[in-house]
Amino acid sequence: MDDGQGPSSLAYAPSYAGRWSKLKPGLEKELEEHLTDILGFEEMTPVQSNVIPLFLSHKDVIVEAVTGSGKTLAYVLPVLQMIMKRQDRLKKNQLGALVVCPTRELAVQVHGIIQSFLLTSDEKGEEQQGDSEPSNTIAAKVSGALLAVGGSTSNPGDDYKKFKEQGSDIVVGTPGRVLELLERTSIDCKELEVLILDEADRLLDMGFTQTLTSILRLLPKQRRTGLFSATMTDAMNELVRVGLRNPVRVVVKVETKTTARDSKMMNGSTSVNDKRTPASLDNHFMSMRAEHKLLQLIRILRAESKRKEDDLPMRKAIVFFATCAQVNFFYKVLSPLTQMEGLKLYSLHGKQTPVRRRATFDAFVSATPLGSASSVESSSVLLCTDVAARGLDLPNVDLVVQFDPPTDPKVFSHRCGRTARAGRRGRAIVLLNKGREEEYVDFLKVRKNPVKRYDYLCDGNGEASREEPQEVDSGALQLHNDIRKLIRNDRALYDFSMQAFVSFIQCFRKHEVSFVFRERDLDYGAIAFTFGLLRLPRMPEIDRWRKSKEAESTEGEKTLLFVEENVDLQALAFADKAREKQRQEGLEAKMTAQIANGKDSKPKKTIEEAWSEQKARKDRKQDRRDKKQRKRAFLAKQASEQGQEPVNGQAEETHEDDDDMNDWAEEERLAKKQKKDQSNKEDAADTFQFDDL
């Protein structure tokens, strides 16, 4: 939920906007009682105090507020109140409100918040009145909410059946599934009161523009519309022109006062700066050599899990990576390491099945916090991509680490916003390679995301130093060797390592802050060392990097820390016996097929096909020579019998030489054609290739 963890969070809230009774127009009595008695929210946040009255006064709104500021309740409460205050109840085929979210996880979360109002109030009514129909509850006035998301166990037909049978007044879902539902001719959208686009800029970034336009065409123009996000983009202007009428823009900022000592101003004045992150968030950066990056991640997690803020222990952490392949790889190799003892890992990314994603999400949310008597693990760590960066409320997250800075700079504040929510304190750290990447700190400052330095950690106990050691950290060498040992014993990990490395390079090339994150500045050897690769994959980028390093080595450069191993892929087996058995059976079947076709068991090279063609041409030439030889013998014999001079043999030889020259010209033409075709194939294959068998 986007609005805190209960009454205890209020003690750490930097600012609140008063009690709910101050709202004008005010909330229905049932809603206010539910907020205070059930949820424990005695006061509203600034975004709620500004947005709710506008919505209830029939205004369209565009809301931009920092993450964790309470945006979800800012639209859920008006949606419920608008339906509750209708004079005539909606019919079963009529839709009253629509909430569109970019991801299924966020849609599930919003649907759960709405259901908490309906189910809790319904239970309360039953307790008071027994079996009689509850008359003074939210559930008595709102006919439920339907969840319509892709990738779930239900299909569009099931969504339609539920809507038709239950008559849900509110639909919450993802764009594609919502459009499929609304296109049913029997669904009446004419009575729709309000449309909400949550994380509106993300909806556009994910390519839902056309789908959203189709949804808007199916909805009545006389409605209330709200766009909510922590960041807004220029692309929003087009959607605003299509779907909103004279909207009111609400921007809730966090202001920090900077004294002369902090800002180094000489006049002793005080300046006020805007921030895009919560005031209760400590935002940091750490810079180190690429070889130490993974080691520092582990030491940060261990040190922060032992830290205590305001007598509250650290509970959970989230680590963001750039790609799904990286999440898979690091989850596999970090989990069994002794360096991770006391840390329970979870993995979440967009290429997992919906069932797996949901199970991981629920397991991480319900994980036992540190300090509990029943706790087995000291801290829970979620390794994920940006699929978990927006909108989701993951309770008790005290630390966010960005292993890879986001390719889209707008995502930075969303990632940080997974902690320090609704007044809770939190810490966020972004890891940067030394050198040009440190300029990212100035870039973040310009974008109103200031960060402070986080000192290099010398060990896992939290001992810090302002200066990174000149020599490679012994802990990094040990970590590198441990990962390599795991990879040598499992072919699956070898494949995961290659995929993770290549996906990172490809993603890095697409970085929007390319003037800071430049491909030519990457040290591929250092990155490969961090990933624990046994050897580098075949990539054009690697070839260019090798040539540059060879040129540098002639000028006295130090030997690379990363040393490639000679890997026999045919002997490298899967640790999973079933997969290894399947691989061996495949190799045997391939060898048997080659023998049956009269071929060598070794893979044929392209040159062998060219050789066979050449041999055929030589055979054809020999046949022509034999024919000509027989013809000359016949003509010589015939001339001898008739007493004539023999045919000029030199002339015959000349014709034969002409035939030979024609054959060689044909071979040259074919050779040039083959070379051209090979060149075209190499140009088309300007991507990595696994050395797989």
Side-chain angles (χ1 to χ4, degrees):
M1 183 168 131
D2 204 24
D3 303 277
Q5 316 301 330
S8 62
S9 66
L10 300 182
Y12 304 95
S15 62
Y16 275 84
R19 295 186 173 274
W20 300 99
S21 57
K22 292 185 177 181
L23 285 174
K24 303 296 181 183
L27 294 174
E28 291 289 287
K29 181 180 178 182
E30 296 94 333
L31 292 176
E32 188 172 335
E33 288 179 351
H34 183 86
L35 287 167
T36 56
D37 299 342
I38 305 299
L39 299 182
F41 297 133
E42 298 290 341
E43 298 184 69
M44 53 189 170
T45 64
V47 67
Q48 294 161 359
S49 66
N50 282 274
V51 172
I52 294 175
L54 291 172
F55 250 140
L56 297 181
S57 301
H58 308 289
K59 301 286 186 182
D60 290 347
V61 295
I62 303 174
V63 182
E64 180 179 0
V66 296
T67 57
S69 58
K71 293 187 294 295
T72 305
L73 279 183
Y75 66 74
V76 166
L77 293 172
V79 165
L80 291 172
Q81 177 139 326
M82 288 180 189
I83 297 178
M84 291 172 65
K85 295 189 71 173
R86 286 182 58 90
Q87 293 182 352
D88 300 323
R89 291 288 301 272
L90 291 168
K91 299 178 181 178
K92 281 192 173 183
N93 67 327
Q94 292 179 330
L95 178 63
L98 176 63
V99 181
V100 182
C101 305
T103 63
R104 64 176 65 92
E105 285 83 6
L106 180 55
V108 169
Q109 181 175 285
V110 173
H111 177 261
I113 295 172
I114 296 175
Q115 285 291 92
S116 71
F117 281 86
L118 304 180
L119 297 177
T120 306
S121 61
D122 193 11
E123 293 170 358
K124 181 179 178 181
E126 291 179 356
E127 290 176 0
Q128 292 178 348
Q129 303 182 25
D131 297 331
S132 61
E133 183 72 19
S135 59
N136 193 30
T137 64
I138 304 171
K141 301 178 182 179
V142 181
S143 298
L146 173 69
L147 177 64
V149 295
S152 58
T153 55
S154 63
N155 55 46
D158 296 331
D159 294 340
Y160 174 69
K161 184 178 180 181
K162 290 179 182 178
F163 182 86
K164 189 176 180 180
E165 292 177 353
Q166 300 174 6
S168 302
D169 293 343
I170 305 170
V171 170
V172 182
T174 49
R177 189 61 73 86
V178 166
L179 179 60
E180 289 182 287
L181 179 65
L182 298 186
E183 286 178 335
R184 302 271 182 166
T185 55
S186 59
I187 293 183
D188 183 4
C189 298
K190 295 179 181 179
E191 295 297 319
L192 185 113
E193 294 273 355
V194 58
L195 166 68
I196 301 296
L197 300 181
D198 201 353
E199 297 295 342
D201 62 323
R202 180 64 172 161
L203 286 168
L204 299 180
D205 291 342
M206 294 177 68
F208 290 127
T209 305
Q210 185 175 354
T211 305
L212 291 175
T213 303
S214 300
I215 291 174
L216 291 173
R217 292 197 185 105
L218 298 173
L219 304 180
K221 294 182 179 179
Q222 298 295 329
R223 66 169 190 271
R224 299 281 64 78
T225 304
L227 309 183
F228 290 78
S229 182
T231 56
M232 291 294 176
T233 62
D234 294 336
M236 292 295 300
N237 295 331
E238 185 65 26
L239 192 60
V240 168
R241 287 195 292 269
V242 174
L244 283 76
R245 297 175 301 148
N246 299 320
V248 177
R249 189 180 185 94
V250 179
V251 180
V252 179
K253 299 179 180 179
V254 175
E255 294 185 345
T256 58
K257 292 184 178 181
T258 305
T259 62
R261 182 178 60 182
D262 296 329
S263 61
K264 297 183 180 180
M265 293 185 297
M266 300 302 296
N267 57 5
S269 61
T270 300
S271 63
V272 178
N273 300 319
D274 294 335
K275 292 175 60 179
R276 292 184 179 274
T277 52
S280 56
L281 172 68
D282 292 330
N283 219 347
H284 299 264
F285 78 96
M286 176 190 282
S287 63
M288 76 295 291
R289 298 206 304 273
E291 297 95 332
H292 294 158
K293 196 170 186 179
L294 186 61
L295 174 67
Q296 286 304 295
L297 170 64
I298 295 175
R299 287 180 176 175
I300 288 172
L301 293 175
R302 292 182 63 87
E304 290 291 330
S305 66
K306 299 174 183 178
R307 182 195 300 271
K308 290 188 177 182
E309 294 284 353
D310 300 318
D311 295 328
L312 290 177
M314 302 296 291
R315 293 170 174 81
K316 301 175 184 176
I318 302 178
V319 182
F320 286 100
F321 293 92
T323 67
C324 302
Q326 285 177 269
V327 173
N328 279 336
F329 172 65
F330 286 114
Y331 174 74
K332 294 286 186 181
V333 298
L334 292 181
S335 296
L337 294 180
T338 57
Q339 293 92 327
M340 299 296 292
E341 184 179 353
L343 299 172
K344 172 65 175 177
L345 296 185
Y346 301 82
S347 66
L348 181 68
H349 59 78
K351 291 186 179 180
Q352 293 174 336
T353 63
V355 174
R356 168 73 184 279
R357 285 169 62 178
R358 187 66 205 174
T360 300
F361 180 82
D362 291 341
F364 182 71
V365 169
S366 59
T368 306
L370 171 68
S372 172
S374 61
S375 176
V376 178
E377 305 293 344
S378 62
S379 186
S380 300
V381 181
L382 177 66
L383 310 183
C384 64
T385 59
D386 287 336
V387 70
R390 296 239 184 178
L392 298 180
D393 182 63
L394 301 167
N396 300 323
V397 173
D398 298 288
L399 175 67
V400 168
V401 181
Q402 303 190 49
F403 188 83
D404 300 313
T407 54
D408 182 356
K410 297 190 301 295
V411 179
F412 181 89
S413 58
H414 289 279
R415 285 179 170 186
C416 297
R418 296 316 95 206
T419 185
R421 301 181 67 80
R424 285 189 54 87
R425 296 195 61 82
R427 191 184 306 271
I429 306 170
V430 58
L431 305 185
L432 304 173
N433 292 333
K434 275 199 169 180
R436 192 177 186 87
E437 288 191 12
E438 292 175 294
E439 296 180 12
Y440 192 57
V441 175
D442 295 328
F443 174 80
L444 291 174
K445 186 176 181 181
V446 172
R447 292 185 63 86
K448 301 177 182 179
N449 290 314
V451 291
K452 300 175 291 186
R453 180 178 293 277
Y454 192 101
D455 291 340
Y456 184 91
L457 295 180
C458 302
D459 55 39
N461 295 322
E463 183 180 344
S465 172
R466 295 288 294 181
E467 296 297 331
E468 182 180 14
Q470 295 295 325
E471 301 296 328
V472 63
D473 197 313
S474 59
L477 286 172
Q478 181 63 45
L479 181 62
H480 172 76
N481 293 331
D482 290 345
I483 294 177
R484 274 193 162 188
K485 184 177 179 180
L486 292 172
I487 294 176
R488 291 191 200 100
N489 294 326
D490 191 355
R491 187 190 185 93
L493 288 182
Y494 175 86
D495 292 341
F496 278 133
S497 68
M498 287 292 192
Q499 293 166 5
F501 180 86
V502 172
S503 67
F504 168 75
I505 300 303
Q506 293 175 338
C507 184
F508 190 91
R509 294 174 61 183
K510 302 175 184 178
H511 215 294
E512 293 186 18
V513 194
S514 56
F515 67 91
V516 173
F517 301 96
R518 301 186 304 184
E519 180 192 344
R520 64 176 177 268
D521 294 328
L522 283 178
D523 187 342
Y524 290 96
I527 299 171
F529 178 87
T530 298
F531 280 62
L533 296 190
L534 299 183
R535 65 178 181 181
L536 291 169
R538 294 199 301 261
M539 298 174 66
E541 298 88 345
I542 299 296
D543 293 338
R544 291 192 294 268
W545 175 77
R546 286 184 193 276
K547 292 178 181 178
S548 67
K549 284 299 177 184
E550 289 173 1
E552 291 176 358
S553 63
T554 61
E555 301 174 2
E557 282 287 318
K558 293 182 179 180
T559 305
L560 292 177
L561 184 62
F562 175 74
V563 179
E564 294 190 82
E565 295 186 2
N566 186 16
V567 183
D568 184 0
L569 285 180
Q570 193 164 4
L572 184 58
F574 287 105
D576 186 338
K577 294 183 179 180
R579 290 191 65 184
E580 179 58 22
K581 181 180 179 181
Q582 185 179 10
R583 186 180 78 92
Q584 293 295 339
E585 290 174 350
L587 289 175
E588 291 177 3
K590 185 177 181 180
M591 187 176 298
T592 303
Q594 289 174 341
I595 295 174
N597 293 331
K599 298 181 180 180
D600 190 5
S601 60
K602 295 182 179 180
K604 299 294 184 181
K605 298 182 180 179
T606 306
I607 189 65
E608 292 177 347
E609 182 179 358
W611 176 85
S612 64
E613 290 293 333
Q614 184 180 15
K615 184 175 183 297
R617 286 195 295 273
K618 288 182 178 180
D619 291 342
R620 289 195 296 268
K621 284 195 296 181
Q622 187 61 41
D623 289 341
R624 287 196 295 269
R625 289 192 185 99
D626 293 342
K627 288 180 181 179
K628 291 180 184 295
Q629 186 66 28
R630 289 194 297 270
K631 183 179 180 181
R632 282 196 297 270
F634 172 77
L635 292 176
K637 180 180 179 181
Q638 189 178 42
S640 176
E641 291 175 353
Q642 297 176 0
Q644 299 176 353
E645 292 291 331
V647 178
N648 188 347
Q650 182 65 33
E652 290 293 332
E653 289 295 332
T654 302
H655 289 303
E656 183 177 353
D657 290 343
D658 289 343
D659 289 338
D660 288 343
M661 289 182 65
N662 290 336
D663 288 337
W664 283 112
E666 176 67 13
E667 287 184 13
E668 182 180 7
R669 185 185 69 81
L670 292 174
K672 289 181 178 180
K673 183 176 184 299
Q674 181 183 357
K675 183 177 180 181
K676 182 178 180 181
D677 293 340
Q678 183 66 24
S679 177
N680 291 338
K681 289 179 180 179
E682 291 176 354
D683 291 340
D686 191 24
T687 56
F688 78 97
Q689 298 178 3
F690 287 120
D691 297 331
D692 210 341
L693 295 176

